Amino acid sequence: MNHSNSASLIILCGFMSCGKTSIGKPLAERLGYTFVDTDDLLLDTYHMTIPEMFAKGGETLFRDCEHEIALKAASMQKSVISTGGGLITFERNARALAEKGIIIYINQDFDVCYERLMNQPERPLNKNHSREELRARYDARVPSYQKYASYTLTRPDSVENAVEEILSFLRSQ
């Protein structure tokens, strides 16, 4: 992994609703960085929502577009990147990002993520997947998050503490 410019790109990964955006925005502010959400970048770049991409070209189209977004994110400087829950689970995306920055895995308990997801009815997966299916997806993704993360933030109890812990880790690099 190339960490020569690691302090200029911080990539947050983890399951849906683990806290990537909630932690990422104040982290970016503290660092004086730009906050970027890859799902928003996808929408801004392709002018289609994720469900529209699936409808137009299936998962293949979505994953190809997502890869382009991973490459775009990897080229950014002074940014905190919040990745879509599945982005890091694809080797080509994870490698592109890991080469350019530090990946931090926000390891939140499934039950916490699930409860938050159920309070966000606009999330596309809620309508189509049972708790068991989401649990299986969570379990399947964890090894990828762990494989590529330079640091794991385990069960953050508050946004403030999470930001402080990440800043402390970054200072130690």
Side-chain angles (χ1 to χ4, degrees):
M1 251 179 261
N2 169 18
H3 287 302
S4 61
N5 63 346
S6 59
S8 78
L9 191 61
I10 312 300
I11 300 109
L12 304 180
C13 73
F15 198 67
M16 299 174 286
S17 290
C18 71
K20 297 180 296 280
T21 300
S22 299
I23 293 165
K25 285 181 177 179
L27 177 63
E29 195 173 302
R30 289 280 301 275
L31 291 167
Y33 284 13
T34 302
F35 175 78
V36 178
D37 182 298
T38 59
D39 288 343
D40 292 342
L41 196 55
L42 195 71
L43 183 64
D44 293 345
T45 302
Y46 296 102
H47 309 288
M48 279 188 281
T49 64
I50 293 169
E52 286 169 347
M53 283 185 185
F54 271 86
K56 182 178 178 183
E59 186 171 359
T60 303
L61 173 65
F62 170 68
R63 294 300 175 194
D64 286 346
C65 292
E66 185 181 57
H67 179 61
E68 291 303 314
I69 294 305
L71 295 176
K72 195 176 201 176
S75 72
M76 295 178 174
Q77 297 290 312
K78 294 195 177 218
S79 298
V80 172
I81 310 287
S82 170
T83 59
L87 187 135
I88 294 287
T89 65
F90 289 85
E91 184 93 16
R92 63 185 183 168
N93 300 336
R95 265 205 234 122
L97 291 165
E99 286 174 7
K100 300 293 184 178
I102 292 179
I103 297 177
I104 296 173
Y105 167 35
I106 300 174
N107 179 9
Q108 187 54 268
D109 285 332
F110 171 77
D111 292 334
V112 173
C113 294
Y114 183 78
E115 189 176 310
R116 290 175 182 168
L117 276 169
M118 291 305 101
N119 291 321
Q120 299 174 358
E122 73 281 1
R123 292 274 188 145
L125 288 173
N126 296 357
K127 300 179 207 67
N128 308 327
H129 296 81
S130 68
R131 180 186 179 92
E132 293 71 28
E133 288 169 321
L134 289 170
R135 179 68 206 217
R137 182 173 294 194
Y138 175 95
D139 291 341
R141 288 179 175 181
V142 166
S144 295
Y145 301 148
Q146 292 171 330
K147 178 179 178 179
Y148 292 101
S150 298
Y151 185 75
T152 297
L153 181 68
T154 303
R155 290 184 290 287
D157 58 352
S158 75
V159 169
E160 296 77 22
N161 289 345
V163 169
E164 287 305 323
E165 188 175 329
I166 292 169
L167 289 171
S168 177
F169 165 73
L170 292 174
R171 283 192 291 272
S172 75
Q173 294 304 290

